Amino acid sequence: MPTNNDRNTYNRPKRTPGIYWTPMGGNNQHGIWGSSYLYDSTYMNDGKLVTDRIIVDAGRYEDKAHFIKQDVDAIIPDLRDSLYRSKAVFLTHAHTDHIASLVYYAMMDFNLPPIYASKETIDMLKSDFVNYGVSLDKLPKVTELKSGDTVEIGKTKVKAVAVSHSIPGCMGFFINNEHANVFHSGDMKLDNTSVLGKGTDMKSIAEFSKNGVDAMVFDATVASVKGFARKESDICDSYINIINKNKGRPIVIVPSAGHLDRIATIVKAVHECGRGSILAGGLVQYEHVASLYRTGLGFKNTVSKDVRCHMLGSHKSKLLDKNDAVYITSGLYGESGSMIDRAVDGLEPDFNIDKNSLVIFPTNGEDKSEARIANMVDKIRAKGIEVVTGRNYSGLYGSGHAQEGDFYAIYAAVSPKTVIPTHASLKIAEKFINSMREKFISTVDNAPENGDTYKVDSRGVSLYNRVYKRWLGVKKDNNGKYTLVHMEKKARTSHKNEPTSGSVKSVINALNENRAKKTKFLRTFKKFGRS
């Protein structure tokens, strides 16, 4: 079994009981891609120090532009050694930046540890294996989890809780042993209005937090943005409003191909307006929607038995009056060659966009791909086609991640001793850390980077070790065999100060000195956690 022998470690003391958290991807210099995290649960057993390693998520890095070498088929975190050493893999949800590495490692004959995930995530993982031509025989034992389930691995317990994000079957995990309890949020927000699910299970979160939580590893993607993530029910109302204002003309809506909650919201809005939907988003969208039907969440079960929603090119889609149809397509981030791009260029015979059409890009003007999106919008408008964006119709936009209000409500329910940001660029993570300090919430000194290991125990959180974690490129050779290549290393961002146990204590002391402020602050948000 190949291992990573290129580790430049320093200042690593002997391990003692606790839980050690290491991001392998997701705490990047740029972007949020490639999420994968190691949790080493360390404890004494019969007089010996024992470690149970588990992996939470194993994603793919989705933007090759961040690497010098780009002539590869995929970029994945280096999990070669960890796959061999780990007792299990727990998956938070089925987006490719959280699960796709497993497919590539199986493709190259790495043995995978047992996998634990929701029914919906397992279904999408199996689908990815089939789509990439990987035999399902290479899947290890797979166990379906439901909210409230507990898995015991040695003296380590992993408790699953349902959370709301943008697709069904999302989960967060409480990982604990006798020395520490950590809540790993996964991608999440507070919303119980999705067409496809019940939302975040705040009851189980509160129950699993009763005995104290030492650290909360939280989705910081947009957690510094004011307010709450817009609820799907409110977004549905906004779509109903704009669809009803544009009767008698075809409408083209461009959501993210993997945002199934939003696609279901749009299908519901179209149905409420008495119109029919055509799914015109291409392979990725089709596969995600197909997973809904395989897991019993098809639109006839979740929206209405009378809903009219058909695949582009199907017989029933061709029976819809074009001026009565709402096309749900893909290309939200302005990608060249996307379905919206092809339709505008007249390359899709069943999907023509003319000057009578209304095109809706529900972005808010703050996305990292905004320049590319603006170019696509300009291209469409240059053809005399009206385009509406989230900038001039804000009710259409809603993040799948927790905003500031969501975070504080979840923080109030969990009441962790320390908060650690993840799933964010270093810049965004530093902003999140600063906002925590303003509210006297204990956090780490600097944004954690991939390869940083933090020890968590009842005394707090401290930096244990720092290594450079490299990414691997997956490349097909001339014989059709996939091999791994090392991606060229990026310069490391320097940190102002190394976190120490003393610096953590200083933050806790500041928090204690301002206990009255904190108590008043938490009361403001506890009611949202119960809603």
Side-chain angles (χ1 to χ4, degrees):
M1 178 65 61
T3 61
N4 179 0
N5 295 315
D6 188 37
R7 294 174 177 171
N8 180 25
T9 63
Y10 71 95
N11 192 31
R12 181 171 63 181
K14 182 179 178 180
R15 287 202 173 190
T16 54
I19 291 178
Y20 295 79
W21 172 76
T22 306
M24 302 293 283
N27 285 63
N28 311 319
Q29 179 79 35
H30 307 286
I32 60 177
W33 311 120
S35 290
S36 187
Y37 311 93
L38 307 183
Y39 282 91
D40 285 352
S41 173
T42 303
Y43 52 88
M44 299 301 296
N45 188 30
D46 293 333
K48 296 181 180 180
L49 194 65
V50 175
T51 294
D52 299 327
R53 171 169 289 185
I54 66 171
I55 299 172
V56 174
D57 289 342
R60 179 177 68 198
Y61 201 101
E62 303 289 0
D63 195 341
K64 296 177 186 177
H66 293 158
F67 294 84
I68 295 174
K69 182 187 293 182
Q70 298 178 19
D71 59 336
V72 293
D73 296 281
I75 299 170
I76 59 177
D78 189 351
L79 299 176
R80 294 173 296 173
D81 180 60
S82 292
L83 289 173
Y84 177 72
R85 295 175 56 193
S86 296
K87 300 288 182 67
V89 176
F90 288 81
L91 300 177
T92 61
H93 64 290
H95 282 154
T96 55
D97 64 317
H98 290 258
I99 69 170
S101 283
L102 296 177
V103 181
Y104 291 106
Y105 279 112
M107 187 185 295
M108 292 177 286
D109 295 324
F110 282 79
N111 293 323
L112 304 181
I115 295 172
Y116 296 83
S118 68
K119 176 182 179 180
E120 295 84 357
T121 299
I122 291 170
D123 179 83
M124 281 299 297
L125 180 64
K126 289 181 178 178
S127 177
D128 286 348
F129 268 65
V130 172
N131 289 341
Y132 280 89
V134 183
S135 171
L136 291 178
D137 291 338
K138 293 187 177 182
L139 266 178
K141 179 182 178 181
V142 178
T143 302
E144 178 185 328
L145 294 177
K146 296 180 180 179
S147 190
D149 284 352
T150 298
V151 177
E152 295 190 15
I153 300 171
K155 292 185 178 180
T156 305
K157 293 182 179 181
V158 182
K159 302 175 182 180
V161 292
V163 299
S164 175
H165 173 40
S166 62
I167 57 174
C170 297
M171 288 187 158
F173 300 109
F174 284 84
I175 302 165
N176 63 74
N177 59 26
E178 58 189 310
H179 305 284
N181 187 16
V182 179
F183 175 48
H184 184 99
S185 73
D187 293 9
M188 73 174 298
K189 62 177 180 177
L190 279 183
D191 186 5
N192 59 359
T193 68
S194 169
V195 175
L196 302 177
K198 298 179 180 179
T200 298
D201 183 358
M202 293 300 289
K203 181 178 179 181
S204 291
I205 287 177
E207 176 66 25
F208 292 156
S209 301
K210 281 196 309 185
N211 294 327
V213 175
D214 298 297
M216 179 167 73
V217 179
F218 194 79
D219 170 15
T221 312
V222 292
S224 298
V225 177
K226 300 294 183 183
F228 286 79
R230 187 170 285 110
K231 293 184 181 296
E232 290 300 322
S233 58
D234 295 335
I235 294 169
C236 184
D237 290 340
S238 295
Y239 273 108
I240 289 172
N241 186 24
I242 196 169
I243 291 170
N244 280 334
K245 286 182 178 179
N246 289 275
K247 293 180 179 178
R249 63 189 301 200
I251 298 175
V252 179
I253 304 175
V254 196
S256 169
H259 199 323
L260 283 175
D261 279 356
R262 190 60 41 78
I263 291 172
T265 291
I266 295 169
V267 170
K268 180 180 179 180
V270 173
H271 176 71
E272 293 288 332
C273 294
R275 299 176 67 164
S277 304
I278 297 177
L279 297 173
L283 181 61
V284 174
Q285 185 195 78
Y286 294 166
E287 185 52 49
H288 276 79
V289 172
S291 73
L292 295 181
Y293 286 83
R294 289 194 297 267
T295 54
L297 295 173
F299 298 134
K300 287 190 178 295
N301 292 336
T302 55
V303 176
S304 169
K305 64 179 181 180
D306 301 318
V307 69
R308 293 180 296 159
C309 181
H310 312 298
M311 293 292 184
L312 180 69
S314 68
H315 175 68
K316 289 185 177 180
S317 73
K318 294 178 180 179
L319 295 178
L320 284 178
D321 180 352
K322 180 180 179 181
N323 293 325
D324 185 53
V326 176
Y327 295 83
I328 304 172
T329 188
S330 60
L332 176 64
Y333 304 111
E335 303 97 315
S336 176
S338 62
M339 285 296 288
I340 183 68
D341 190 32
R342 290 177 56 81
V344 170
D345 287 340
L347 300 177
E348 292 293 329
D350 296 318
F351 182 21
N352 294 315
I353 302 176
D354 56 31
K355 292 183 179 180
N356 185 44
S357 302
L358 172 68
V359 176
I360 300 175
F361 266 85
T363 56
N364 65 349
E366 298 177 3
D367 190 89
K368 59 184 180 298
S369 304
E370 200 56 41
R372 198 166 57 190
I373 296 169
N375 289 337
M376 182 64 69
V377 170
D378 290 343
K379 174 181 177 177
I380 299 171
R381 285 174 173 163
K383 294 180 178 290
I385 301 168
E386 182 182 359
V387 180
V388 169
T389 72
R391 272 184 166 182
N392 47 28
Y393 210 103
S394 61
L396 301 175
Y397 173 78
S399 177
H401 301 271
Q403 292 184 200
E404 189 178 67
D406 304 73
F407 164 75
Y408 287 134
I410 295 162
Y411 174 82
V414 176
S415 194
K417 294 178 182 177
T418 304
V419 177
I420 306 174
T422 191
H423 204 263
S425 68
L426 295 183
K427 181 179 179 181
I428 296 299
E430 289 287 3
K431 182 179 179 181
F432 178 77
I433 287 170
N434 289 334
S435 69
M436 295 300 94
R437 290 180 181 140
E438 290 173 1
K439 299 297 190 298
F440 306 102
I441 293 175
S442 174
T443 185
V444 290
D445 281 14
N446 297 289
E449 293 189 53
N450 299 329
D452 292 353
T453 296
Y454 286 82
K455 181 187 177 184
V456 182
D457 61 20
S458 59
R459 294 172 296 179
V461 176
S462 58
L463 182 69
Y464 168 76
N465 194 29
R466 170 163 292 157
V467 303
Y468 180 83
K469 286 299 178 189
R470 62 191 176 193
W471 295 88
L472 299 174
V474 182
K475 191 171 184 177
K476 184 186 289 187
D477 62 24
N478 294 333
N479 297 320
K481 183 179 179 180
Y482 285 95
T483 58
L484 292 171
V485 296
H486 296 297
M487 304 304 292
E488 188 154 348
K489 296 178 180 178
K490 292 282 188 178
R492 187 176 180 81
T493 299
S494 61
H495 286 66
K496 295 179 181 179
N497 298 294
E498 298 295 341
T500 64
S501 57
S503 62
V504 172
K505 288 180 180 178
S506 67
V507 178
I508 294 174
N509 288 337
L511 192 151
N512 289 333
E513 291 171 6
N514 292 275
R515 187 172 300 278
K517 290 182 181 180
K518 182 184 177 185
T519 301
K520 180 180 179 182
F521 171 72
L522 291 180
R523 284 173 182 166
T524 305
F525 289 97
K526 273 189 180 293
K527 61 181 180 180
F528 294 106
R530 295 193 294 266
S531 63

